[in-house]
Amino acid sequence: HLNPVYTIGWQIEEMMPAHGMARDKARARTLQLLQRVGIPEAESKIDAYPHQFSGGQRQRIMIAMALALKPDILIADEPTTALDVTVQAQILALLEELQEETGMGLLLITHDLGVVAEVADRVVVMNSGEIVETGTAGQIYSDAKHPYTQKLIAAVPGTGEMATPLEASKPLLEVNGLAKHYGDFVAVEGASFTVLPGESVAIVGESGSGKSTLAKTLLRLEEATAGEALYLGRDLVTISPRELFDLRREVQMIFQDPTQSLNPRMSVYDIIAEAFVIHPEIIPKAKRRDRVAELLSYVGLEPGHMQRYPHQFSGGQRQRIAIARALAMEPKLIICDEAVSALDVSIQAQVIELLAGLQDQFGLSYIFIAHDLPLVRDFAHRVVVMQAGRIVEQGPVAQIFDDPQQEYTRELIAASLSPDPEIQAERRRAQMEGVA
Ligand code: ADP
Ligand code: MG
């Protein structure tokens, strides 16, 4: 893991002399590695600290670190899970190149069947600690024998029906020209979009494109540099702290990593009931226990487990706890920032289904931030595409996927990996021909 108090360049360089690489060459090699894993402006960023990078960029730095010593066997545990599809393709190509150069073996652990189809010679499928099936990538995809493997393949996102646009109504949220600058750096600029009641608006774009910054600005976790965000007519950017406190009930956020967002020392009951401590007006004390039980059943968890602690749950269940905590506030809008990105495909599908069900039940709106386009395709009413801090395209989900107007959107869609090794091979051939 990256140490927050050292520059990323130092952390990579530091390992090299111990392994026989001269100090003066170490820096050049570090720079080269950073460039290879796709860190923009690596020459200046080499002396930056981990917090100065977006989540996706930090993952790339971790990969550079692992690659620095050219190992005999590289065990890569979900190396591209947090990365953009376009960068993912580069990283997978990079891993293959290094494999060819050095002859190292690659043991790649992934929940993404698209990655399997792209990279693997052989596949080992595990379930509950046991190997249930092995074979070539082609066999596994087209001729899975084990029910678990079949279930995994059936859960691959991006194949369902797309939502039709909602009828026009008074927006719940209207964002106009929102901007966030860090000094001279423009993280978000001129962002304008609306969210209707009961609507799911997806925000997609590569890491570093400003998605999280936009979300944080909406929630006033960051102060906007310019623009407005009208929530039922009230501007989230300028309202008083008192009003903001009230509105925070209605606008909730769910993050990527439930392990970090749930306090490990609090029971599930305390985590969810904290909403009622902060906002006692929601429900009288005597009814809190029943309400927590009800919230747990909404999200598909056992009400009897409310005295357990987060570590006693799986990743998918922890995300359900985070959803129950958000629901406790009786929100109208939930901002999900990569909320299912770290989960396995089959669990992802279940959580998405849960979110969609809760939307029907409570008329919730979502801002659903994701770098995974197939996932968004199955879930969103409308899609907003961000690139380098700006919205480059937005529209109904079917328009974005079937008739994208921008080259960038087309690239994003094309870079999504199919779980079918034959489609993947076909695409590679087409790309090679394109290059040649
Ligand atoms: P995304 O969520 O789309 O991956 P982010 O919103 O996290 O992107 O980051 C957008 C850009 O803003 C990135 O280039 C990132 O390095 C930069 N950034 C984010 N937070 C800060 C900060 N506190 N200071 C300086 N730059 C930041
Ligand atoms: Mg982000």
Side-chain angles (χ1 to χ4, degrees):
H1 284 261
L2 292 172
N3 187 325
V5 302
Y6 297 107
T7 67
I8 56 133
W10 189 88
Q11 291 184 64
I12 299 174
E13 270 174 59
E14 184 234 5
M15 304 183 299
M16 292 182 186
H19 293 265
M21 187 174 288
R23 263 274 172 212
D24 55 335
K25 291 207 177 118
R27 189 169 168 92
R29 168 119 174 98
T30 298
L31 185 60
Q32 187 194 358
L33 280 165
L34 289 173
Q35 285 163 341
R36 274 187 105 165
V37 297
I39 298 296
E41 295 160 38
E43 292 88 345
S44 57
K45 292 283 181 112
I46 191 169
D47 295 318
Y49 292 85
H51 75 270
Q52 292 170 290
F53 296 87
S54 70
Q57 288 168 333
R58 281 198 293 270
Q59 294 278 1
R60 299 184 214 187
I61 295 161
M62 300 270 292
I63 292 168
M65 201 178 257
L67 295 175
L69 302 174
K70 296 194 176 179
D72 291 335
I73 295 178
L74 182 66
I75 301 178
D77 191 352
E78 302 278 5
T80 61
T81 301
L83 299 183
D84 307 315
V85 281
T86 48
V87 181
Q88 168 168 278
Q90 291 165 18
I91 297 290
L92 296 178
L94 175 66
L95 287 173
E96 277 190 323
E97 269 170 45
L98 279 155
Q99 193 175 21
E100 263 171 37
E101 271 169 41
T102 62
M104 73 176 176
L106 181 61
L107 181 62
L108 189 111
I109 299 163
T110 181
H111 69 273
D112 185 334
L113 292 171
V115 170
V116 170
E118 178 75 7
V119 186
D121 299 311
R122 284 190 306 122
V123 185
V124 174
V125 182
M126 289 191 74
N127 181 27
S128 305
E130 274 178 41
I131 292 173
V132 296
E133 187 157 1
T134 63
T136 66
Q139 277 166 356
I140 294 291
Y141 179 73
S142 55
D143 191 23
K145 298 280 189 275
H146 195 278
Y148 176 74
T149 315
Q150 291 163 353
K151 198 182 86 186
L152 272 186
I153 288 163
V156 170
T159 51
E161 243 174 67
M162 287 187 275
T164 48
L166 294 184
E167 281 188 26
S169 63
K170 193 168 167 293
L172 182 67
L173 180 71
E174 200 175 337
V175 179
N176 292 314
L178 200 64
K180 176 64 191 174
H181 300 179
Y182 294 107
D184 289 341
F185 181 77
V186 178
V188 175
E189 184 73 13
S192 301
F193 64 97
T194 57
V195 181
L196 303 177
E199 187 176 40
S200 299
V201 175
I203 300 181
V204 301
E206 293 180 282
S207 62
S209 60
K211 306 182 298 296
S212 294
T213 304
L214 177 59
K216 283 187 252 179
T217 309
L218 290 175
L219 286 161
R220 273 281 271 287
L221 302 173
E222 295 277 6
E223 294 293 328
T225 309
E228 56 180 19
L230 301 174
Y231 175 84
L232 295 174
R234 283 178 292 175
D235 189 357
L236 294 172
V237 168
T238 55
I239 54 173
S240 69
R242 176 68 234 178
E243 276 183 290
L244 187 65
F245 178 79
D246 291 339
L247 280 188
R248 282 235 169 97
R249 255 193 75 183
E250 295 176 28
V251 185
Q252 287 293 304
M253 186 148 179
I254 299 169
F255 297 93
Q256 169 165 358
D257 186 354
T259 322
Q260 279 183 22
S261 66
L262 302 177
N263 186 335
R265 278 183 284 275
M266 284 167 73
S267 70
V268 169
Y269 173 82
D270 288 332
I271 287 169
I272 296 173
E274 197 176 35
F276 313 139
V277 177
I278 301 170
H279 292 280
E281 74 277 13
I282 297 178
I283 197 158
K285 256 197 175 137
K287 294 191 173 155
R288 287 180 187 172
R289 190 156 296 270
D290 287 347
R291 180 64 180 156
V292 170
E294 186 179 32
L295 287 161
L296 285 172
S297 64
Y298 284 155
V299 299
L301 291 175
E302 197 57 57
H305 291 170
M306 68 171 75
Q307 291 310 338
R308 295 191 178 184
Y309 288 80
H311 74 268
Q312 294 172 284
F313 295 85
S314 69
Q317 288 172 328
R318 282 199 287 265
Q319 205 53 295
R320 287 170 190 266
I321 296 168
I323 295 169
R325 177 178 59 182
L327 286 179
M329 294 283 196
E330 300 172 0
K332 293 195 170 74
L333 174 64
I334 302 183
I335 301 178
C336 306
D337 189 357
E338 305 276 8
V340 301
S341 303
L343 304 176
D344 295 343
V345 270
S346 55
I347 310 291
Q348 259 183 0
Q350 290 165 14
V351 174
I352 293 280
E353 208 178 293
L354 169 66
L355 291 173
L358 293 169
Q359 180 166 64
D360 290 344
Q361 199 173 352
F362 301 113
L364 292 172
S365 301
Y366 296 113
I367 293 178
F368 189 83
I369 297 172
H371 65 277
D372 184 344
L373 269 76
L375 200 71
V376 161
R377 185 185 176 283
D378 288 350
F379 180 70
H381 294 98
R382 268 179 332 109
V383 180
V384 171
V385 184
M386 285 189 77
Q387 182 187 24
R390 288 176 170 78
I391 294 175
V392 294
E393 180 165 7
Q394 57 178 308
V397 63
Q399 182 192 312
I400 296 292
F401 280 90
D402 292 343
D403 188 22
Q405 301 299 304
Q406 297 291 322
E407 183 56 32
Y408 178 69
T409 311
R410 280 194 284 273
E411 274 171 29
L412 275 185
I413 294 169
S416 305
L417 294 174
S418 161
D420 183 344
E422 276 181 34
I423 291 180
Q424 230 37 272
E426 189 59 45
R427 201 187 63 168
R428 279 181 169 223
R429 274 195 293 277
Q431 273 172 352
M432 299 283 272
E433 277 162 24
V435 170

